[in-house]
Amino acid sequence: MSSVLRFSASASRENHEDGNTEAFDMLHVDPTVANETLLRAAVSLKEQVVEATWKSVGGGGGGEVGNSVDPTAYTGLLGTAIACLRSYEVTGNRQDLLLCAEVVDTCASIARACSRHVTFLCGKGGVYALGAVVANYMGDHQRRDLFLNLFLEVAQERALPVGPEEGGFGMSYDLLYGRAGFLWAALFINKHLGEETVPKELLTPIVDAVLAGGRAGASDNPACPLMYRWHGTRYWGAANGLAGILHVLLHFPLSEEDSEDVKGTLRYMMSKRFPHSGNYPSSEGNPREKLVQWSHGATSMAITLSKASQVYPHEREFRDAAIEAGEVVWKNGLLKKVGLADGVAGNAYAFLSLYRLTGESVYIERAKAFASFLYHNASKLVNVGHLRGADNAAYSLFQGLAGTACLWFDLLAPENSRFPGYEL
């Protein structure tokens, strides 16, 4: 495939013997030394991200950051705050927490004026959710409550709880821009600040609307209980499709009927895997099986199916399918991009998810192999392709190096790892 550098379980010995040790050297040294190297690299990369995305626009220097700056997590400034928070959680360096809070405050002032979406990754919902959590870390309860109130104002968006029977097709259902993305932001708050911080009375009608919208979208396909369209296409991936929406639904207490629809949709997706590769289509009926990344294909399915296996531990098929999706990611090889959305860092998180599910060390080794490749090649990769010349895309969370920094921090404590903006 033109989109990947071939690197797989079957090819690993061959590559190593040919002298291509870049993706392996950190696996064959003393673990303490490797962790020290990885920590230094993660901190250094986080500082590069801060320099490129925060200081370059006037942040931290007494100047004013302009409203033209993207304040969101996916490709914007909030991704820098998330990387700083991840650094703080690993190192305990309070300067990272203070910087994170400063970045979030700037994002909040911009988002209030210009961000029309309500999701965690691409909207003001994420800015306010992260702001509340960071303020709570700092012990600033007044500021925490301020951000919570701003988040609850976002929750008053009238389209959020409107089901299809009430004409509720105006707002999408996906993770990046739609209702699932708002629900994820609420889950993030409740995880860090306590259940019912965002009350279930507010969230349950939105969950019901997402389920109702999925049933209406699947009305012409009796084999699949839930289906959604984004701009007319029935996507399957995490960003705009089924994998992301189902992953969010799996975090809520569902009725038996709702659970059966979620499980039935996962089984439908599993039944439609490409027989040769085991990969998943990027959208309903799409014959191309090339994409293996978080946005499309097996990567997000490995993570979503791992969550399904945890929620339904007696349904062995979900665990088996998660493991099989992980094999697809490994055998497909190394992508030529660095980010979480469609790059090496995002694919490495599939292995970390499977490690937490199975406890098997092979997944740590695979994640470290991908991370080692990034250690040697990330700076080269961000200077090629569509990232060259893009506004800070090379340093963003989902398209660039901020996601790589998060991966390196997470590898220091893989049992606590979480795909930023996707896993809780």
Side-chain angles (χ1 to χ4, degrees):
M1 299 179 185
S2 60
S3 63
V4 298
L5 305 176
R6 296 310 303 172
F7 172 82
S8 68
S10 61
S12 61
R13 178 177 297 276
E14 176 185 345
N15 289 343
H16 184 56
E17 290 174 350
D18 285 346
N20 182 14
T21 61
E22 290 182 342
F24 293 89
D25 56 1
M26 290 177 65
L27 300 179
H28 296 285
V29 298
D30 180 273
T32 302
V33 175
N35 281 350
E36 290 176 356
T37 301
L38 197 57
L39 177 59
R40 286 196 302 271
V43 170
S44 175
L45 187 56
K46 178 265 301 177
E47 290 173 353
Q48 291 178 47
V49 169
V50 170
E51 185 72 30
T53 63
W54 174 239
K55 294 181 181 178
S56 69
V57 297
E64 184 174 334
V65 178
N67 287 342
S68 61
V69 172
D70 177 0
T72 64
Y74 192 79
T75 54
L77 195 54
L78 196 69
T80 300
I82 290 171
C84 290
L85 180 61
R86 192 61 54 94
S87 179
Y88 167 73
E89 290 171 336
V90 171
T91 67
N93 184 346
R94 191 167 176 83
Q95 288 302 119
D96 283 326
L97 185 63
L98 294 172
L99 177 57
C100 178
E102 188 178 357
V103 174
V104 170
D105 285 349
T106 297
C107 291
S109 66
I110 299 171
R112 290 193 77 171
C114 69
S115 180
R116 65 187 179 90
H117 297 297
V118 299
T119 62
F120 185 87
L121 290 177
C122 293
K124 62 182 70 175
V127 177
Y128 301 150
L130 188 65
V133 170
V134 171
N136 194 62
Y137 268 122
M138 297 180 68
D140 188 342
H141 295 169
Q142 182 177 358
R143 193 141 193 83
R144 176 200 65 192
D145 292 343
L146 170 65
F147 277 116
L148 282 176
N149 287 333
L150 287 170
F151 184 83
L152 293 174
E153 285 181 19
V154 172
Q156 301 308 310
E157 171 68 51
R158 285 177 293 180
L160 279 165
V162 178
E165 66 279 359
E166 303 162 288
F169 286 104
M171 178 179 283
S172 67
Y173 296 91
D174 64 310
L175 188 73
L176 286 194
Y177 303 111
R179 304 181 210 209
F182 171 81
L183 290 172
W184 199 95
L187 288 166
F188 179 79
I189 289 174
N190 285 352
K191 175 191 174 181
H192 288 279
L193 303 185
E195 295 299 324
E196 291 292 304
T197 302
V198 183
K200 64 181 178 183
E201 288 78 12
L202 182 66
L203 300 179
T204 299
I206 303 172
V207 172
D208 290 342
V210 172
L211 288 160
R215 291 180 182 122
S219 59
D220 58 348
N221 184 359
C224 184
L226 303 172
M227 186 60 71
Y228 303 87
R229 289 178 177 83
W230 189 75
H231 288 208
T233 300
R234 299 179 179 186
Y235 287 106
W236 280 34
N240 300 114
L242 278 171
I245 296 167
L246 295 175
H247 190 260
V248 171
L249 291 175
L250 285 164
H251 289 79
F252 288 92
L254 302 177
S255 69
E256 183 176 353
E257 177 186 3
D258 295 340
S259 290
E260 288 303 315
D261 280 353
V262 168
K263 289 190 287 185
T265 304
L266 287 170
R267 291 186 183 113
Y268 173 80
M269 297 174 78
M270 290 155 54
S271 74
K272 297 295 183 179
R273 284 173 289 186
F274 293 112
H276 175 69
S277 66
N279 194 24
Y280 289 78
S282 60
S283 59
E284 180 77 3
N286 193 323
R288 296 176 69 239
E289 54 183 298
K290 179 179 179 180
L291 299 176
V292 179
Q293 52 191 234
W294 177 81
S295 295
H296 305 287
T299 303
S300 58
M301 284 303 295
I303 298 171
T304 295
L305 287 164
S306 292
K307 179 62 180 177
S309 181
Q310 294 163 356
V311 175
Y312 307 115
H314 301 298
E315 308 275 359
R316 180 76 188 195
E317 60 189 313
F318 297 134
R319 179 187 175 94
D320 292 343
I323 291 170
E324 290 170 10
E327 291 301 308
V328 174
V329 177
W330 178 247
K331 291 176 181 177
N332 185 68
L334 289 159
L335 301 172
K336 289 187 177 180
K337 297 179 182 178
V338 301
L340 295 176
D342 53 8
V344 178
N347 281 10
Y349 271 103
F351 304 134
L352 292 177
S353 184
L354 287 165
Y355 169 71
R356 297 196 314 274
L357 176 67
T358 67
E360 295 180 8
S361 60
V362 64
Y363 295 114
I364 294 295
E365 293 170 2
R366 290 178 175 184
K368 284 185 175 181
F370 277 29
S372 295
F373 174 79
L374 288 170
Y375 178 79
H376 290 281
N377 295 283
S379 61
K380 295 180 237 176
L381 295 178
V382 297
N383 288 320
V384 300
H386 74 284
L387 289 178
R388 182 170 48 219
D391 293 340
N392 293 326
Y395 293 92
S396 67
L397 185 64
F398 269 72
Q399 295 291 335
L401 292 171
T404 298
C406 288
L407 171 66
W408 290 351
F409 282 122
D410 271 338
L411 274 168
L412 296 166
E415 65 281 359
N416 298 323
S417 62
R418 296 293 184 273
F419 191 117
Y422 196 55
E423 294 183 289
L424 289 158

